[in-house]
């Protein structure tokens, strides 16, 4: 199985992998591509069960999602890469940096959590989606992705991300919910060696900024930044601020550290 990925930027530039959130694809990162692809070979992949990637039967685990990313790196002939992931993408990033530290140079974790219970809520969401309820869940899920002010000002953008969610294969979405249900990465974080930037969003109800602070405390070489006026998809709501933070983190010699 090879994950689907979209590649932008110079072929000889350092590779920056971008991992997206549950119910989105690599297109979620579109607001940052122009700001990153001049300095990096930006590889936006779709998680297993999402977008153009294969949808094997679930349940999945974060280990499985992480091993698939290692397979993608092997397929691309890339030894090591920078990695930025939002939400589910951040969970996979934590797993990669802890379990394959030689493959991850610098790490950024956005709007994510090392342990996102309660497990029974995620298992119930998985069961509902398997029973055909992804469409009826969509408004509730998307209401956590954007602040009310952004949703009112940018209805077309919100509708586009809602469409991305409802286009997700239900079997893949459900299997990834089960991966989140079973996940507890807290004890792994002490093993992360990559210099890490943890980004929380002040108005994120899904993975509140306290989750970002907890991750930053557990990773030895981590810094914490909190983006204002943004909910869960902070890279969409505050594209320039997030792009600035990522550039400064991934090119520390050329940028200004936050
Ligand atoms: O979909 C949600 O409710 C929020 C979320 C948790 C993990 C993820 O990727 O998105």
């Amino acid at each position: 199985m090879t994950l689907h990925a979209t590649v932008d930027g110079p072929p000889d530039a350092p590779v920056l992998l971008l991992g997206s959130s549950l119910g989105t694809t690599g297109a979620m990162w579109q607001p940052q591509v122009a700001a990153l692809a001049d300095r990096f070979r930006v590889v936006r992949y779709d998680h297993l069960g999402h977008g153009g990637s294969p949808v094997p039967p679930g349940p999945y685990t974060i280990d499985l999602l992480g091993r698939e990313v290692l397979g993608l790196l092997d397929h691309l002939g890339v030894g090591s890469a920078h990695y930025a992931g939002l939400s589910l993408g951040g969970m996979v990033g934590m797993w990669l940096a802890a379990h394959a530290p030689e493959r991850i140079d610098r790490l950024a974790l956005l709007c994510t959590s090392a342990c996102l219970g309660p497990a029974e809520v995620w298992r119930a969401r998985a069961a509902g989606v398997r029973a055909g309820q992804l469409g009826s869940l969509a408004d509730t899920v998307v209401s956590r992705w954007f602040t009310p002010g952004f949703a009112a000002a940018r209805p077309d953008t919100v509708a586009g991300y809602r469409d991305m969610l409802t286009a997700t294969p239900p079997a893949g979405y459900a299997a990834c919910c089960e991966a989140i249900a079973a996940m507890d990465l807290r004890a792994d974080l002490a093993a992360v060696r990559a210099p890490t930037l943890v980004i929380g969003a002040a108005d994120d109800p899904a993975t509140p900024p306290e989750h970002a602070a907890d991750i930053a405390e557990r990773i030895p070489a981590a810094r914490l930044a909190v983006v204002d006026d943004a909910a869960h998809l902070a890279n969409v709501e505050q594209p320039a601020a997030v792009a600035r933070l990522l550039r400064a983190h991934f090119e520390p010699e050329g940028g200004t550290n936050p």
Side-chain angles (χ1 to χ4, degrees), residues 17 19 29 83-98 104 106-114 185 189 192 194-201 207 209 211-219 221-227 232 234 242 245-246 249-250:
L17 279 169
W29 286 104
Y83 184 101
L86 189 144
S87 201
L88 179 60
M91 297 167 192
V92 173
M94 288 183 258
W95 185 91
L96 287 166
I104 302 299
R106 296 179 76 85
L107 176 67
L109 304 168
L110 297 86
C111 300
T112 191
S113 178
L185 293 164
L189 295 181
V192 173
T196 301
L197 174 64
V198 187
I199 301 176
T207 52
H211 291 221
D214 178 66
I215 293 168
E217 273 169 28
R218 291 172 189 272
I219 295 180
R223 289 179 298 114
L224 175 67
V226 177
V227 175
H232 193 52
V242 169
L245 285 166
L246 294 178
H249 179 61
F250 288 118

Side-chain angles (χ1 to χ4, degrees), residues 21-22 87-88 91 116 122 125 141 144-145 173 180 206 232:
S21 64
L22 177 68
S87 201
L88 179 60
M91 297 167 192
L116 193 58
W122 286 104
R125 199 195 288 193
V141 170
R144 294 191 283 260
W145 287 2
Y173 185 95
I180 294 170
H232 193 52

